[in-house]
Amino acid sequence: MQFFSDGRVVASRLTVPEHLCGWGRVVHGGVISTMLDELMGWTGIYLLKRLVLTKSLQVEFRRPLFAGQPLCLTGRVVEQCSNREALLAAEVVNPSGEICAVSTGLFALFTVNAARTLGFLDMELVDEVARKFLDEETDR
């Protein structure tokens, strides 16, 4: 996925290939959930300037999505609950402009130094994300 932002929302456009379908050409719900989770994660990185990890995720499937259709996803910050958590939201829209799936997620927020203490993140990747998208300096 590639992401774009106007400073208020983060968006992505994509077309799901047929091998990620469940029934016929209907995109599998797990794939839709993954797209929404990924979008919300990058929404936190872009708009809140923090590293994030998903704490909880809720998805509502409103209409089927089909392989081969160009889809538009948008994500936004609903509320930064504290310095450690934020509520984010995302949606997927089909070519007809219909909202097909919506999601909200509670995300843990981390600084680079806090991420180092977790012990399971790829710190080279964390440092790369920090250099490109975050306001803080890495200490490497």
Side-chain angles (χ1 to χ4, degrees):
M1 294 175 72
Q2 293 182 336
F3 304 95
F4 312 91
S5 180
D6 64 3
R8 293 179 308 106
V9 299
V10 174
S12 183
R13 298 187 188 283
L14 60 92
T15 301
V16 178
E18 285 193 32
H19 72 274
L20 297 177
C21 291
W23 293 97
R25 293 185 52 244
V26 176
V27 178
H28 191 285
V31 172
I32 297 167
S33 298
T34 299
M35 294 183 327
L36 291 164
D37 182 45
E38 189 71 7
L39 181 69
M40 287 187 291
W42 282 100
T43 297
I45 291 169
Y46 274 104
L47 300 182
L48 298 175
K49 304 297 185 196
R50 299 288 293 280
L51 299 171
V52 301
L53 287 173
T54 309
K55 291 182 79 172
S56 66
L57 177 71
Q58 181 177 358
V59 180
E60 177 186 340
F61 304 99
R62 295 184 177 175
R63 298 179 168 276
L65 290 166
F66 298 98
Q69 287 186 328
L71 305 173
C72 181
L73 293 85
T74 55
R76 63 185 172 82
V77 176
V78 175
E79 176 183 10
Q80 185 168 347
C81 308
S82 69
N83 199 34
R84 295 184 175 183
E85 289 184 340
L87 182 64
L88 306 175
E91 65 184 26
V92 183
V93 175
N94 68 15
S96 299
E98 299 167 310
I99 298 172
C100 297
V102 296
S103 180
T104 55
L106 185 63
F107 284 75
L109 306 176
F110 297 91
T111 64
V112 172
N113 286 333
R116 288 187 198 292
T117 66
L118 297 176
F120 61 86
L121 297 178
D122 176 341
M123 288 313 300
E124 287 183 27
L125 181 57
V126 167
D127 288 341
E128 181 181 345
V129 169
R131 279 191 301 278
K132 289 182 179 180
F133 304 108
L134 306 183
D135 294 333
E136 60 186 290
E137 295 289 321
T138 62
D139 50 345
R140 280 193 180 185

